[in-house]
Amino acid sequence: MTTLTRKLFCEWRTFSTDTETYTQETFEDLVGDEVEAMMFEEDHEIPSYIWTSNFVCIIKRSTRMINDISVTKIPRNPACE
């Protein structure tokens, strides 16, 4: 069984797809929140997860015709009533 190595960074690391370069400023504008940390899996140049003040953002890579991403925001601390 192989184990993936994951690395957590508390500082922003700029990454790119075929169509976009994501700086901290552009990503924060995209999700409307401040970045706190990001996690990369072994040998990947695009993060798998990005934590913001209020969300965990799941980054999914898509590579049909071009290398691109989609972002799913999940509340970090959902209010249960």
Side-chain angles (χ1 to χ4, degrees), residues 63-74:
T63 55
R64 287 189 180 176
M65 299 292 256
I66 57 172
N67 185 22
D68 202 5
I69 63 168
S70 64
V71 177
T72 303
K73 295 188 328 185
I74 300 172

Side-chain angles (χ1 to χ4, degrees), residues 24-67:
Q24 183 171 353
E25 182 179 351
T26 59
F27 189 82
E28 288 177 345
D29 287 345
L30 175 69
V31 298
D33 206 7
E34 293 182 28
V35 170
E36 292 186 350
M38 54 197 320
M39 181 182 290
F40 288 82
E41 291 186 11
E42 176 179 13
D43 298 329
H44 291 172
E45 295 179 10
I46 295 174
S48 299
Y49 300 94
I50 298 177
W51 285 265
T52 68
S53 299
N54 298 296
F55 300 98
V56 176
C57 299
I58 302 169
I59 311 300
K60 293 185 182 177
R61 295 181 296 145
S62 61
T63 55
R64 287 189 180 176
M65 299 292 256
I66 57 172
N67 185 22

